[in-house]
Amino acid sequence: MTEQSATASVEVAADPSTAFRIFTEEIDLWWVRGPINFFDAARATAMQIEPGVGGRILEVYSPPDDVLELGKITDWEPGALLAYRSSVDDTATRIDFEAIGSGTRVTVVQSLIPGGDKAFYFWPNVVQWIPAWVDRRDGASRTPREVDRLAIALYYEDPAAAARWLHTVFGLDSWDKIPAEGTNPSWIELQVGTRAILLFKLTEKRTAQLDHGVWVYVDDLDAHFAHSQSEGAKILSEIHQHGYRCYEAEDPEGHHWTFAQARPTMP
């Protein structure tokens, strides 16, 4: 059964009017360009919100007139409320900006519309990215921060608990937020510099080969796949699209490798 709604709140060190501008005008700066944070990560170059009722929430590709419309704005009250109806699933999203002391509480509620059956509840993760940007934005570059081409995937029975342990014991951090006790986000990204460490749920019997995986971003995924096949690599899954475009292969000793299409903006 599809859950009916998902809610999340964060507090930011900015007044409501500034927090609203940050959310809307600076979305391309606070949106984490991690490996799995777009509907089409291989082509995404920017995120954009068009102002006003009727404006669109956009995932921008290259060339820039090629976009994916994520939703259309239904309410636009600067400093107070932003709401939109999704174009990619059957949800409506409401973002409230509430003054608290010298800051703002930003609350996102993403709800399944009556009669709907498809919901991508990504906002509880995404809204967590905003406070870190607010904290560093005064001295930060206005060039969106990209990740490196090499990422590591780690598989745990309890990814959230693992993230807390890795943060506390090893000092690994996140561009958004380490999950609190009792929370189980659908995906977790930690960072070492500009390199991403992806934490996933272990769904098969634990083995050395399934405990970890290496992700590599390549310029031409189709050519890379064809070369791997021609050289006799064991292909675990052919090229497929799941936000990122990728394929999986196994090396001679059974380690799993994921090769994904690099975005045009990746260095």
Side-chain angles (χ1 to χ4, degrees):
M1 179 179 177
T2 303
E3 295 292 330
Q4 298 300 301
S5 66
T7 303
S9 294
V10 294
E11 296 181 6
V12 298
D15 64 84
S17 293
T18 302
F20 187 93
R21 289 198 306 273
I22 289 170
F23 191 102
T24 55
E25 297 175 15
E26 299 180 13
I27 186 171
D28 194 40
L29 296 173
W30 60 257
W31 193 278
V32 174
R33 296 194 174 197
I36 55 179
N37 298 341
F38 296 92
F39 280 84
D40 191 346
R43 299 194 299 138
T45 60
M47 295 295 296
Q48 181 182 343
I49 296 179
E50 297 175 338
V53 172
R56 300 173 297 167
I57 317 291
L58 299 174
E59 189 169 293
V60 182
Y61 303 134
S62 181
D65 57 349
D66 184 8
V67 299
L68 171 65
E69 180 184 290
L70 302 182
K72 279 195 174 180
I73 296 171
T74 55
D75 293 277
W76 180 273
E77 300 176 22
L81 170 66
L82 169 67
Y84 75 91
R85 170 68 170 87
S86 175
S87 302
V88 295
D89 64 6
D90 302 321
T91 65
T93 299
R94 176 187 175 103
I95 304 103
D96 287 287
F97 299 81
E98 175 191 2
I100 50 163
S102 59
T104 301
R105 178 180 292 116
V106 181
T107 301
V108 173
V109 180
Q110 188 177 3
S111 304
L112 193 69
I113 63 172
D117 60 6
K118 183 171 68 172
F120 305 125
Y121 291 128
F122 58 84
W123 273 111
N125 279 73
V126 168
V127 74
Q128 306 294 336
W129 301 340
I130 300 174
W133 167 247
V134 173
D135 290 344
R136 73 175 192 273
R137 68 189 286 266
D138 287 344
S141 167
R142 281 330 196 230
T143 300
R145 184 161 60 173
E146 273 288 359
V147 297
D148 285 348
R149 288 186 174 230
L150 177 67
I152 299 170
L154 300 175
Y155 295 81
Y156 293 96
E157 294 177 3
D158 188 341
R164 290 190 293 272
W165 192 93
L166 292 168
H167 173 68
T168 302
V169 179
F170 291 160
L172 300 185
D173 217 335
S174 173
W175 287 349
D176 44 30
K177 188 177 182 180
I178 302 297
E181 192 81 36
T183 62
N184 291 286
S186 53
W187 79 91
I188 301 170
E189 294 179 53
L190 304 179
Q191 281 77 35
V192 177
T194 56
R195 185 155 294 159
I197 300 176
L198 313 175
L199 273 56
F200 291 116
K201 177 76 173 176
L202 181 67
T203 58
E204 301 180 48
K205 183 179 179 181
R206 182 178 295 279
T207 67
Q209 288 80 11
L210 292 177
D211 278 352
H212 63 277
V214 181
W215 288 42
V216 181
Y217 298 88
V218 298
D219 286 325
D220 188 334
L221 186 68
D222 297 276
H224 196 279
F225 176 74
H227 179 77
S228 295
Q229 274 194 316
S230 69
E231 291 296 317
K234 181 179 179 181
I235 303 300
L236 300 175
S237 68
E238 297 192 353
I239 293 176
H240 58 280
Q241 180 86 32
H242 184 69
Y244 46 92
R245 185 168 177 261
C246 70
Y247 76 92
E248 286 90 18
E250 185 176 281
D251 69 20
E253 293 196 11
H255 298 98
H256 292 188
W257 293 71
T258 297
F259 294 96
Q261 176 64 51
R263 290 189 296 280
T265 55
M266 294 183 82

